Amino acid sequence: MATFVRDPVTAFAVNSFARTSVAAVKHTWTVQAFEFPVRDIQAAGLTELLQTLSTLPAAEPLTQEILRSARIP
């Protein structure tokens, strides 16, 4: 994962909903965790993210950033 983040072609993507809460992020990524295998999408660290979110208060504000790589079509 660190290699992906440090890759020069990895960049921040537009995220209209960057400011959010633990509850919203947990809901979104719980759904994705179900859909990814069905759509044959690989995810690294998703289980750990959901475990970490479970330890935080639901109303805790978060900023969510999305990274994309030009190497992945």
Side-chain angles (χ1 to χ4, degrees), residues 2-48:
T3 302
F4 169 75
V5 172
R6 285 189 233 150
D7 191 320
V9 298
T10 299
F12 287 96
V14 175
N15 183 359
S16 302
F17 303 102
R19 291 179 168 263
T20 186
S21 68
V22 167
V25 170
K26 188 175 177 186
H27 173 75
T28 297
W29 290 106
T30 297
V31 171
Q32 296 298 349
F34 172 77
E35 289 185 5
F36 282 175
V38 173
R39 296 167 60 195
D40 199 27
I41 296 172
Q42 301 298 313
L46 187 52
T47 301
E48 292 80 4

